[in-house]
């Protein structure tokens, strides 16, 4: 069974540009979560999508947005990039029936803003 | 305001000895706690969890202890092995193991196990 896949692995953008990160959940998983791991800050919750809808949002500005497609894959968009957006962005998926312990993470996208 | 705190950024132990990683939380609504392990260039992987109705959960070399009155949990690894060297994240959920909501993570503790 394929795990959670994220693309690209690395992304370098210039301040002010937009970045698009992609996540494919484990087959059958309907919930997708996005986390940001900035240096020294641990994993900060960004967004949660389930069945195509945004269910919850962390304490991030509106320039962080995303969507979930009918096949449950998801996209995270970061507009007007700032230097402090440089971080590892992790996606996790979960099967509705698995509860809290069902989180499975991808390997992440390393975003560098220069 | 950080709801899940791991106050030790790093920990170094000798192979074969016990590793104790600590985690404190502030939100009384948290009722399910998890530990994740993360190697460089990989995503976090689930290690062990505990419900607030328990005070101990054991899985092989890994044991998690929960002290609800102190809002404190700890992960014990006995015996520690070099392959345990990784960053360990404590996480909490406010709605139990069946929750569909998000997890709140600490900043992580980097464990180094020396041969």
């Amino acid at each position: 069974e394929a795990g959670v896949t994220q693309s690209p692995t690395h992304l370098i953008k210039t301040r002010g540009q937009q970045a698009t990160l992609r996540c494919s959940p484990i087959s059958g998983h309907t919930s997708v979560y996005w986390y940001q791991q900035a240096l020294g800050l641990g994993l900060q919750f960004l967004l949660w999508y389930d069945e195509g809808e945004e269910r919850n949002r962390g304490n991030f500005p509106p320039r962080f947005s995303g969507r979930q497609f009918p096949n449950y894959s998801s996209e995270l968009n970061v507009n007007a990039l700032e230097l402090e957006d440089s971080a590892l962005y992790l996606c996790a998926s979960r099967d509705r029936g698995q509860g809290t312990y069902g989180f499975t993470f991808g390997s992440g996208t390393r975003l560098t803003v220069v | 305001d950080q709801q899940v705190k791991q106050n030790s950024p790093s920990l170094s132990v000798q192979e074969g000895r016990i590793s104790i990683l600590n985690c404190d939380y502030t939100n009384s609504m948290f009722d399910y706690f998890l530990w994740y392990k993360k190697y460089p260039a990989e995503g976090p992987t689930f290690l062990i969890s505990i419900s607030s109705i328990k005070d101990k959960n054991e899985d092989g070399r890994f044991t998690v202890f929960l002290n609800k009155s102190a809002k404190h949990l700890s992960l014990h690894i006995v015996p520690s092995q070099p392959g345990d060297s990784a960053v360990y994240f404590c996480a909490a959920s406010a709605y139990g193991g069946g929750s569909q909501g998000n997890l709140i993570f600490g900043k992580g503790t980097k464990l180094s196990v020396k041969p």
Side-chain angles (χ1 to χ4, degrees), chain A residues 53-82:
Chain A
E53 294 190 13
E54 182 180 303
R55 301 294 186 180
N56 199 4
R57 182 182 182 85
N59 189 24
F60 280 84
R63 57 190 186 82
F64 287 83
S65 64
R67 54 181 171 165
Q68 186 178 35
F69 299 99
N71 65 354
Y72 303 118
S73 67
S74 178
E75 202 172 81
L76 173 68
N77 296 295
V78 188
N79 294 317
L81 284 165
E82 300 179 1

Side-chain angles (χ1 to χ4, degrees), chain A residues 18-29:
Chain A
Q18 178 197 44
T20 298
L21 290 65
R22 296 179 175 83
C23 172
S24 293
I26 291 174
S27 177
H29 287 195

Side-chain angles (χ1 to χ4, degrees), chain A residues 83-100:
Chain A
L83 296 178
E84 51 264 37
D85 296 334
S86 295
L88 179 67
Y89 289 84
L90 291 161
C91 171
S93 74
R94 181 168 66 182
D95 180 351
R96 269 180 164 266
Q98 285 188 302
T100 299

Side-chain angles (χ1 to χ4, degrees), chain B residues 5 15 26 30 33 38 50 52 61-62 77 84 87-88 109:
Chain B
K5 301 177 183 178
E15 180 180 5
T26 57
F30 288 151
F33 304 89
K38 184 180 184 301
I50 188 167
S52 60
R61 297 186 296 113
F62 303 91
I77 306 174
D84 296 329
V87 177
Y88 289 79
T109 296

